[in-house]
Amino acid sequence: MSEQQRDVHRTGLIGELSAEFAGTMVLILFGCGVVAQVVAGGLGNHDSIAWAWGLGVTFGVYVGGRLSGAHINPAVTLSLAAFKGFPWAKVVPYTLAQTAGAFVGALLVRWNYTEVLAHADPGHTLKTQFVFSTLPGNGSLPVSEWGALRDQVIGSAILMLLLFAVTDLLNTPPGANLAAVVIGLIVVAIGMAWGTDAGYAINPARDFGPRLASFLTGYRGAWRDQYGNLYFWVPIVGPLIGGLLGAALYRILIGRFLPVPGPQEVGRTPSAEP
């Protein structure tokens, strides 16, 4: 590879990582922002949360889709590498960029809602920790970390099965550049149907980045759940396992039966443009 080719490759990767950072940051600005508004500000309800998270995904995909495919989720990146030929060498850089974007997005939400959070929860306890990261049973229902892990595996498998379906050009993907809208609706549906047991993180970066941001800004119990158990690993491990499971199910049940007229560019959502 010539020096010029190496420069082009390096610049391309920087652009992709920048897109993953920005797309995930947008996701968190809407996602954590709406939870802060509902939990600490008393405006809205669970439906508000489900819709805003879904719209955050849609906007995040539109922000980063052209440059990186807007995975905005390490579980998506890992599954694309395992089943769609996405370069393994990019998995860790993408994951770091996504987590950094989530971290910065959460810091902005934390800063903006400083007064409201302090008024609602002066001790910065689990009452408002839920704004930034998930808990088993949403911090109040009798769900253990193992029950939450089960939930995260299943929810993430559903997410990945559907993502593979709507982004597979050999199947029936949405037209007119509407894939991002449909992906957002998938997240809305998961939030409405699978949000009780573990808060539907279904994304390691979405949970770990804001969890770290909250810990560094006063939430000293951010790593543990309401039982005092270390919990931060559940929304990381569960989505990674579930994502691979969902991708495998799509491959086994659908993908292997589809005709193959030509190669599909890996790691990208369908677009009307060539």
Side-chain angles (χ1 to χ4, degrees):
M1 182 184 294
S2 69
E3 186 64 32
Q4 182 178 7
Q5 288 174 319
R6 280 194 291 270
D7 288 342
V8 170
H9 174 75
R10 191 180 305 114
T11 303
L13 179 59
I14 291 173
E16 292 172 30
L17 298 181
S18 180
E20 288 297 311
F21 175 92
T24 312
M25 181 179 68
V26 167
L27 164 63
I28 297 302
L29 288 174
F30 283 95
C32 288
V34 72
V35 183
Q37 180 166 276
V38 172
V39 172
L43 299 176
N45 52 35
H46 175 73
D47 287 351
S48 306
I49 292 172
W51 278 107
W53 273 111
L55 289 170
V57 169
T58 293
F59 299 145
V61 172
Y62 277 129
V63 165
R66 182 72 176 186
L67 287 175
S68 69
H71 304 178
I72 62 176
N73 183 339
V76 173
T77 302
L78 178 64
S79 298
L80 288 171
F83 291 94
K84 290 288 189 178
F86 185 75
W88 281 102
K90 292 184 178 182
V91 171
V92 171
Y94 265 52
T95 297
L96 293 175
Q98 292 154 1
T99 304
F103 175 76
V104 171
L107 283 180
L108 289 171
V109 171
R110 177 71 174 89
W111 182 33
N112 187 63
Y113 280 96
T114 298
E115 298 86 357
V116 174
L117 289 167
H119 179 267
D121 181 22
H124 300 314
T125 67
L126 287 176
K127 179 181 178 181
T128 55
Q129 168 61 34
F130 184 63
V131 167
F132 302 98
S133 54
T134 58
L135 291 166
N138 292 325
S140 59
L141 296 173
V143 178
S144 70
E145 61 265 34
W146 298 108
L149 180 65
R150 174 197 63 220
D151 173 89
Q152 285 299 284
V153 171
I154 296 172
S156 301
I158 294 170
L159 172 67
M160 206 62 58
L161 172 67
L162 296 176
L163 280 180
F164 270 46
V166 302
T167 59
D168 190 345
L169 296 179
L170 303 178
N171 203 335
T172 53
N177 201 27
L178 289 175
V181 175
V182 176
I183 292 170
L185 289 174
I186 291 170
V187 174
V188 172
I190 291 174
M192 289 183 169
W194 290 85
T196 298
D197 280 5
Y200 75 108
I202 56 176
N203 180 339
R206 166 266 175 274
D207 195 87
F208 183 79
R211 194 181 293 273
L212 177 61
S214 66
F215 174 75
L216 295 176
T217 57
Y219 288 87
R220 309 313 296 176
W223 307 113
R224 297 183 180 273
D225 60 20
Q226 64 269 31
Y227 311 114
N229 300 320
L230 282 176
Y231 181 77
F232 74 93
W233 61 273
V234 172
I236 297 174
V237 174
L240 294 176
I241 295 173
L244 291 171
L245 178 60
L249 286 173
Y250 182 79
R251 171 70 63 85
I252 293 168
L253 298 175
I254 303 296
R256 66 194 180 104
F257 298 112
L258 295 172
V260 186
Q264 177 182 342
E265 188 175 5
V266 300
R268 299 189 180 274
T269 54
S271 171
E273 299 182 29

